[in-house]
Every structure is written in C-alpha cells, then in structure tokens.
Amino acid sequence: MLKFIGKRILMMVPVMLGVVLLVFSMMYFSPGKPEDYILGDMATVEDKARFRAENGLNDPFIIQYFNYIRKALTGDLGISYTTKQPVVTEIMSRFPTTFQLAFFSTLIAVALGIVTGIVSAVKQYTVWDNICRVLAMIGVSMPNFWQGLLLIILFSVVLKWFPSSGFSSWKHVVLPALTIGTSSAAAVMRMTRSSMLEAIRQDYVRTARSKGQSEVKVVWHHAFRNAIIPVMTVVGVNFGKMLGGAAISEVVFAIPGLGNLIIGAIKVKNAPLVQGGIMFIALAMSVVNLIVDVLYAYVDPRIRSQYLKPRRSRLGRKSAKGGA
C-alpha cells in the first residue's frame, strides 16, 4: 500500500508542472498588461516601467516560467499585485471558507444522491423511479447561478428564512450548499442507480434473498456495499471540483472563498494569485483522488488483497528459507 501511495504522489509532479505551464502560458499570452489594470489610467510611463521591473515582467517567457517554478518549489508562490501580500497567505485565508462550503455541499449531494439512487434502482420502472430520474435530469441541466438566484428569491426575498450573501453563520451556508449540492447529487444519483441495478442482478443477491434475509439487509449489506466503489469515485471527483468549481456560486452569494478570489484576480490579471490559486486547487484535487483510491482498499476486500499478496509472498519465501 505504501508503495502504491508513493507512486501516486510521484505522479502528481508532472500533473502539477503541466497545470503550472498551462496557466502560466494563458496569463502570459492573454491580451492586456497587468500594470494597466493594477495602476490604472492615471499612472505614468515611469510608474508602469517600475512596476514591470519590480515584478520581473521584462524577462522572456522561459525565464519567468523557470523563476516561478524555482520559487514554487520552496513554497513561494509570489506576491499579489493588488494587496502586496504573499499569495500563500491570500490562499490560506480563503481556503477554509471554500472547504467548508464544499464539505457541506458534498454531504447534501451524498445524502440526496445515494438515497434517490437506491430507491430508483430498487423501484425500477415505477413512479418513484421516474420521479427520481426527472429530478436528477433537472439537477444536471439547471446552471448553478440560475438555481442560486431562484433560491435567493424564494428563501431570502419572499420567505426571508436565510440571508442572501455572506458566510458568517450556519444560515449563510444553507443556500449555497443546496445550490452546489443538488447539482452534484444528480451525478451521484445516476451513478448509484446504475451500480445498484448491476449489483442486485448478481447471484449473491439472489442467494441472500433465497436464504430469507430481509430486503433491507439484502439492499444495504450485499448490494450497496458492492456498488459503492464507482459512487465513491463520483463523490471524490465532485468534491475536488467543488474546491475550485464553486466560484460561480461564491460570486452569486458573495462568499469570500477561494473561487471568488481567483475570479477577482483574473479580472485585473493578477498573475501570481491566479497561478497560485489554480495550482493549489489542482493539488487539492490530486490529494482527494489519492484519498479515494486508498479508501477503495478499505471498502473492497478484493482490492485490498492486491496489496497484501506481494507482502504475504515475501513472508512466505522468508519462512521457507528459514525452514530450509
């Protein structure tokens, strides 16, 4: 298992280098100059030249890229053009908010998606199946920003149950978490339904029913435990996407999260903040995918045995040599 984790960590290195190269190239070759956005129209030519010299913007592309990589390896992601604060400090001040939003959104997605997916699979071709599938289609099709605006109009403007912006109490979490969680719940529901339909048709499920076990035990203990692997993949991928893909919802609900920070940095071409934020999100997604892969071994004994067999074989050879 440790060897597998080590290989996955090494695989993150080219992924991160590729992400940095892509984002760095897009920011470098995109139209507009950062000094025009940061300093404004009232800045003189000397001020703009001083800004470019202080931030190393006069160097060629390849020099700027390798200087950024060299500093990033030491944990230095640069200085924000607007606040003059280290990019790492800016990211870490916003990331807890984004993480909380992604965490509660994932809880909603898992609760709604798994329950409706199981009901849809067990009650296949019934009214309940059709209702769940229609709800899942609506959740996939409706854009997050539109759903967020509808929730604000209903629960903030009309009913006045929840605030429409901010992130200072649990009431501020409800509407954005519902907005993000319901759309992710649709993907979890569809995967749960397809996995459960495949699992309940297996021989071990028929055997469990023939032994007189209750339907609840058959569904949850036998079918769902074997259908959960692809569901875990979808949940892990969606959680990673929420860490960086919740930007639109953060803007709609005025949440001071990482996505909102990156969007604001893109508007003024604050390259260090954009590059550092996207690289941090890519690293977070890679770590989430690694955690999901490790959880496979604990959920499915068949996968766990693949990592234990080599160890057992080495122990067997050592015992054989000792006996000889």
Side-chain angles (χ1 to χ4, degrees), residues 50-70:
R50 188 183 307 111
F51 178 87
R52 294 188 63 86
E54 290 175 353
N55 294 279
L57 299 178
N58 294 323
D59 297 329
F61 169 81
I62 193 68
I63 300 298
Q64 292 188 38
Y65 175 72
F66 280 109
N67 286 337
Y68 183 81
I69 292 295
R70 177 176 53 82

Side-chain angles (χ1 to χ4, degrees), residues 28-268:
Y28 183 87
F29 293 107
S30 60
K33 297 179 180 180
E35 61 268 22
D36 296 333
Y37 296 99
I38 302 298
L39 301 180
D41 297 333
M42 301 301 294
T44 63
V45 177
E46 291 78 9
D47 293 335
K48 294 181 179 180
R50 188 183 307 111
F51 178 87
R52 294 188 63 86
E54 290 175 353
N55 294 279
L57 299 178
N58 294 323
D59 297 329
F61 169 81
I62 193 68
I63 300 298
Q64 292 188 38
Y65 175 72
F66 280 109
N67 286 337
Y68 183 81
I69 292 295
R70 177 176 53 82
K71 293 180 180 179
L73 292 176
T74 62
D76 182 10
L77 299 181
I79 303 296
S80 174
Y81 292 159
T82 54
T83 62
K84 304 302 180 182
Q85 296 292 324
V87 171
V88 175
T89 303
E90 294 273 341
I91 292 174
M92 297 311 298
S93 64
R94 299 291 190 98
F95 179 70
T97 300
T98 300
F99 182 83
Q100 292 180 45
L101 180 59
F103 177 77
F104 290 112
S105 301
T106 302
L107 290 183
I108 294 175
V110 170
L112 294 178
I114 290 180
V115 171
T116 54
I118 292 176
V119 171
S120 181
V122 175
K123 304 292 184 181
Q124 188 181 16
Y125 302 132
T126 62
V127 176
W128 293 106
D129 183 24
N130 293 332
I131 292 175
C132 293
R133 293 169 67 183
V134 169
L135 291 176
M137 185 176 297
I138 294 175
V140 172
S141 304
M142 184 176 295
N144 281 349
F145 72 90
W146 177 249
Q147 184 179 355
L149 293 176
L150 293 179
L151 292 178
I152 290 174
I153 293 173
L154 177 60
F155 293 103
S156 297
V157 179
V158 179
L159 299 177
K160 300 184 184 302
W161 288 356
F162 303 103
S164 60
S165 62
F167 205 79
S168 58
S169 66
W170 68 269
K171 289 186 177 181
H172 293 87
V173 183
V174 175
L175 294 185
L178 280 175
T179 302
I180 303 172
T182 49
S183 60
S184 299
V188 176
M189 177 267 170
R190 296 172 67 181
M191 180 57 68
T192 303
R193 181 180 184 274
S194 61
S195 300
M196 284 294 296
L197 286 175
E198 182 179 356
I200 60 179
R201 296 190 179 100
Q202 300 299 319
D203 293 336
Y204 57 83
V205 174
R206 299 190 186 97
T207 303
R209 285 173 175 164
S210 65
K211 291 180 178 179
Q213 295 184 2
S214 63
E215 187 66 18
V216 175
K217 187 175 182 180
V218 170
V219 171
W220 286 101
H221 183 73
H222 296 282
F224 181 68
R225 287 185 62 182
N226 289 276
I228 196 174
I229 294 295
V231 178
M232 289 175 56
T233 303
V234 173
V235 172
V237 170
N238 283 337
F239 180 74
K241 290 170 58 178
M242 290 175 188
L243 294 177
I248 303 300
S249 297
E250 290 181 1
V251 172
V252 171
F253 292 96
I255 297 175
L258 183 57
N260 201 345
L261 178 68
I262 294 176
I263 288 182
I266 293 175
K267 292 180 180 179
V268 297

Side-chain angles (χ1 to χ4, degrees), residues 269-285:
K269 205 173 182 181
N270 191 345
L273 190 53
V274 175
Q275 293 159 185
I278 295 179
M279 186 169 65
F280 184 84
I281 291 173
L283 179 62
M285 293 184 65

